[in-house]
Amino acid sequence: MVELGLPPIIGHRGARGLAPENTLGGLRAAFAHGVRYVEIDAKLSGDGVVILMHDETLERTTDGSGLVAKTSYSVIQGLNAAKNFPDAPAEPPPTLESVLALIQEVGGGINIEIKPCPGRERETAAAVVETVRRVWRQPIPPLLSSFDHAALDTCRTLAPNLPRGYLSEVADEDWVAHARALGCTTLNLLWKNVPPAQVPHLTASGLPLLLWTVNEPEAARAFLAAGVTSVITDYPDIVRA
Ligand code: G3P
Ligand code: MG
């Protein structure tokens, strides 16, 4: 079985409660706060560069506008992805390649959530796999997760040895069966759908259980005590305290 190196606390989009999400500066801030493992969102620019971005549109997190899928990387490079943190220096949405270089430099771990724009599911997954294969040199691989089954299936076909996480925000489904059907090695679930009493049943499957987005310290402690492998949080500083 592949070593995953998952710690109890994972920073969400870097540490989006503390610093600009899905940016190099935000990731550095997360590591400065003692985070050792981060979750980020990856998608393609209009011209096929893998960048970090949560939304399909640019407005919420940058000073640009429009669809990411219709915007070239040369334009994205000129945007400020730190605009929601006025004290943070301006910086563009980073490439996945630059992020993987930073994570390796600081000796950290990473969960790459593949978040394709509609219609680009397999293309996005293939580009993420290509980037990881080209850049990543550490013994513990990134965890590739997605809500999108075509993306997970593409990862399995192209890189069966890279671990995959089954992401779901649906409450009433058989998560373990779905994850196993896609050959996933972790369950990444919305915390509100998982009562602590259900944790032993889920962990009995042998799949590590990751819950997002757990921002209450008491809830985080209760989940971890119940056997959850990792909580993904916007506030790793508070949740760890
Ligand atoms: O990977 C866990 C979590 O990030 C999934 O939701 O919308 O925050 O990407 P979202
Ligand atoms: Mg995410």
Side-chain angles (χ1 to χ4, degrees), residues 189-215:
L189 305 178
L190 178 61
W191 72 276
K192 286 181 185 167
N193 291 341
V194 182
Q198 201 183 348
V199 170
H201 163 71
L202 291 169
T203 53
S205 70
L207 298 173
L209 176 58
L210 289 67
L211 298 184
W212 47 274
T213 307
V214 184
N215 286 337

Side-chain angles (χ1 to χ4, degrees), residues 7-9 199 209 211 217-231 239:
I9 307 288
V199 170
L209 176 58
L211 298 184
E218 280 182 20
R221 275 192 286 274
F223 279 127
L224 293 170
V228 166
T229 303
S230 307
V231 292
V239 161

Side-chain angles (χ1 to χ4, degrees), residues 12-13 39 41 54 111 113 115 145 147 167 188 212-213 232:
H12 186 223
R13 306 183 202 171
E39 183 264 5
D41 304 293
H54 180 273
N111 168 203
E113 182 191 340
K115 225 174 186 46
S145 62
F147 291 107
L167 263 170
N188 300 28
W212 47 274
T213 307
I232 301 176

Side-chain angles (χ1 to χ4, degrees), residues 1-5 104 107-109 136-142 161-163:
M1 186 153 160
V2 182
E3 172 64 46
L4 298 174
Q104 293 182 97
W136 194 261
R137 293 288 171 266
Q138 305 308 307
I140 296 180
N161 293 335
L162 287 178

Side-chain angles (χ1 to χ4, degrees), residues 42-44 56 114-128 146-155 158:
K43 57 167 43 72
L44 295 176
E56 286 172 28
I114 302 170
K115 225 174 186 46
C117 293
R120 307 187 83 183
E121 293 80 7
R122 291 190 185 273
E123 183 191 357
T124 306
V128 167
S146 191
F147 291 107
D148 188 87
H149 294 193
L152 289 171
D153 181 61
T154 299
C155 293
L158 296 179

Side-chain angles (χ1 to χ4, degrees), residues 35-189:
V35 173
R36 285 292 162 261
Y37 198 109
V38 289
E39 183 264 5
I40 56 88
D41 304 293
K43 57 167 43 72
L44 295 176
S45 67
D47 50 349
V49 177
V50 190
I51 59 164
L52 269 57
M53 180 77 61
H54 180 273
D55 297 4
E56 286 172 28
T57 52
L58 294 161
E59 281 83 348
R60 182 181 61 84
T61 56
T62 80
D63 54 355
S65 63
L67 292 169
V68 178
K70 298 277 184 208
T71 308
S72 68
Y73 179 63
S74 64
V75 170
I76 287 172
Q77 252 185 323
L79 302 178
N80 178 18
K83 72 159 190 183
N84 293 324
F85 283 76
D87 293 339
E91 61 173 314
T95 61
L96 178 62
E97 181 170 345
S98 68
V99 165
L100 294 183
L102 171 65
I103 300 293
Q104 293 182 97
E105 190 184 307
V106 300
I110 187 164
N111 168 203
I112 304 169
E113 182 191 340
I114 302 170
K115 225 174 186 46
C117 293
R120 307 187 83 183
E121 293 80 7
R122 291 190 185 273
E123 183 191 357
T124 306
V128 167
V129 165
E130 188 279 325
T131 306
V132 170
R133 279 204 162 141
R134 183 163 41 81
V135 173
W136 194 261
R137 293 288 171 266
Q138 305 308 307
I140 296 180
L143 173 65
L144 308 182
S145 62
S146 191
F147 291 107
D148 188 87
H149 294 193
L152 289 171
D153 181 61
T154 299
C155 293
R156 173 168 54 180
T157 303
L158 296 179
N161 293 335
L162 287 178
R164 295 174 299 284
Y166 182 80
L167 263 170
S168 174
E169 55 188 358
V170 180
D172 56 350
E173 66 172 20
D174 188 342
W175 295 306
V176 174
H178 286 278
R180 291 223 186 277
L182 285 158
C184 289
T185 35
T186 68
L187 288 174
N188 300 28
L189 305 178

